[in-house]
Amino acid sequence: MLDLKFVRSNQDVIARMLRQRGYDLDLSGFRSLDEKRRSILASLEELRYQRNKVSDDIAAMKRRGEDASSIISEMKAVSKEIRALEAELPAVVDQLNELLMHIPNVPHESVVVGKNADDNPVIRRWGEIRDFDFDPASHWEIGEKLNILDFSRAAKIAGSRFCLQSGIGATIERALINFMLDTHTKRHGYTEVLPPFLVNSESMTGTGQLPKFREDLFKVDGWDLFLIPTAEVPVTNIHRDEILSIDELPIKYVSYTPCFRSEAGSWGKDTRGLVRQHQFNKVELVKFCCPEDSDQELESLTADAEGILQRLGLPYRVVSLCTGDLGFSAAKTYDIEVWLPEQQLFKEISSCSNFTDFQARRANIRFRRKKGRGTELVHTLNGSGLAVGRTLVAVLENYQQPDGSVVIPEALTPYMNGLSVIDRRE
RNA sequence: GGAGAGAUGGCCGAGUAGGCUUAAGGCGCUCGCCUGCUAAGUGAGUGUGGGGCGAAAGCUCUACCGAGGGUUCGAAUCCCUCUCUCUCCGCCA
């Protein structure tokens, strides 16, 4: 959510921003709603002032034992007026908030203007794409042959877009999770958190999934609880409605959670394999920092995520999302895309974003500086570090051998009880 | 699930037969003073959101005592509903 005062005095900036993002949003009602709100507030506060003052007079008269009945009946009318205005206000405020909640964040000045993903500039590449002397197989073929991925039984248990991993398939998932958590806690200085996997609607609103993206969520029937689509939701909400001390900043959390997404609107996309599932594991990085540090924190957060791919020896590239491809709450986003040899393309494996104060305003997360009074909103950032399922896809496909076995990256073998090759077992 | 107790500022903690409460007092913090340094002492200041005035520093009004309703001229205080925490009992991985 943007600042009301900012929107009020920067209508032209907002309009240009909406155009660049490809949004069609009518803001014509904003000014009149805003003025209506302020005029109601002005008369309301004037009346309250009067009421407070006269109430003191009544108290004083009563203490002196005087008769106050005529003033009291006078104030009855004032109170009635106050109640009428109080009843009028919420509807106006709600409409104004509704409008504000649907305005996306202002892109960072370094974000290029573009229509869609085709306009995303590639920032850098890392690693060498392996030259296969055979036709590389897809991860689902590899996984089913090795007896570690079982999509048909998962469909029986739960339906499409689920996977059952067994034996080494379960172990390597756990190994990847532990490898990522250890790397981020020991090498990159993050604090590990294990949050609830179900959250209430306030939390979903705080990070922006509600009200706009309800369709993407699984809701628990009969409860105000949703399955989390990403650890970003519970972890960012850790500090909802808090005022942090500047000494605590930056706060860096790493969190493993399963993620649950309905994937409404992506029917027919990535229907096979692990790439797009209703449930997948993810290790997420979340930061809270001072406004002046968030540009740099985004760079280091992205580098931390890249570090995982580098240690696993998986080739990737980093793209910067253009205005047309940028998410609703983000001011700037780097996507890290890993190379998948079977499809011959780079596939998103991490998305690292700076939300500036956009999420913090909605979730009411502030901090106080040592000198100077008042509070400021923190900046929040997050990024996958990494999507575990897609990392497994990349490992299986990039490390496959002609005989159908898969070499385990060196960094991972300590987490695999020393196992260095996944082979067909009887 | 049953019975009881509770929720007050950054923290602790008073305050409920409604009105001199502008939410006492303490801790912490900030800025002074004082003393070789530290500690102690001492003086002042110190919540958040919103509105208005102002170039600004600031001034002023208003709301906020877990959340939401209600009673009243007036609610931290009385009534109702809900949420959460604690104690005991029951059930349970």
Side-chain angles (χ1 to χ4, degrees), chain A residues 129-130 132 315-316 337-341 344-347 394 398:
Chain A
I129 288 170
R130 182 176 150 202
F132 284 86
Y316 67 87
E337 301 178 331
V338 71
W339 176 252
L340 297 184
Q344 295 281 301
L345 53 73
F346 285 99
K347 190 80 190 173
N398 281 282

Side-chain angles (χ1 to χ4, degrees), chain A residues 27 42 265 305 307 319:
Chain A
L27 288 177
V319 303

Side-chain angles (χ1 to χ4, degrees), chain A residues 105-175:
Chain A
N105 201 357
V106 180
H108 189 268
E109 56 191 11
S110 66
V111 172
V112 306
V113 177
K115 273 198 168 62
N116 52 43
D118 298 333
D119 297 328
N120 296 342
V122 176
I123 304 298
R124 59 183 165 268
R125 291 166 186 266
W126 185 92
E128 287 206 13
I129 288 170
R130 182 176 150 202
D131 198 11
F132 284 86
D133 52 10
F134 61 96
D135 273 350
S138 68
H139 69 276
W140 61 85
E141 290 168 322
I142 300 166
E144 283 175 340
K145 280 205 181 111
L146 290 174
N147 218 10
I148 59 175
L149 302 182
D150 187 340
F151 290 98
S152 55
R153 285 202 177 103
K156 174 171 69 181
I157 300 165
S160 67
R161 291 204 193 280
F162 287 94
C163 185
L164 170 68
Q165 291 164 253
S166 55
I168 298 299
T171 308
I172 194 169
E173 183 88 6
R174 180 159 55 88

Side-chain angles (χ1 to χ4, degrees), chain A residues 299-347:
Chain A
E299 299 302 321
S300 65
L301 185 144
T302 308
D304 293 338
E306 287 175 64
I308 300 294
L309 287 172
Q310 290 175 7
R311 296 187 70 205
L312 292 173
L314 294 168
Y316 67 87
R317 67 178 191 184
V318 178
V319 303
S320 176
L321 300 194
C322 70
T323 53
D325 203 25
L326 205 58
F328 179 78
S329 306
K332 182 170 185 168
T333 298
Y334 290 119
D335 273 5
I336 304 175
E337 301 178 331
V338 71
W339 176 252
L340 297 184
E342 191 271 336
Q343 296 183 65
Q344 295 281 301
L345 53 73
F346 285 99
K347 190 80 190 173

Side-chain angles (χ1 to χ4, degrees), chain A residues 352-370:
Chain A
C352 304
S353 301
N354 181 1
F355 300 100
T356 59
D357 61 7
F358 194 83
Q359 272 187 337
R361 182 171 296 107
R362 212 185 251 221
N364 192 25
I365 308 171
R366 293 166 294 171
F367 76 102
R368 209 189 302 275
R369 290 190 194 272
K370 275 234 153 38

Side-chain angles (χ1 to χ4, degrees), chain A residues 39 83 102 140 225 230 258 364 370 387:
Chain A
S39 91
R83 264 191 282 271
H102 283 83
W140 61 85
L225 285 174
T230 161
N364 192 25
K370 275 234 153 38

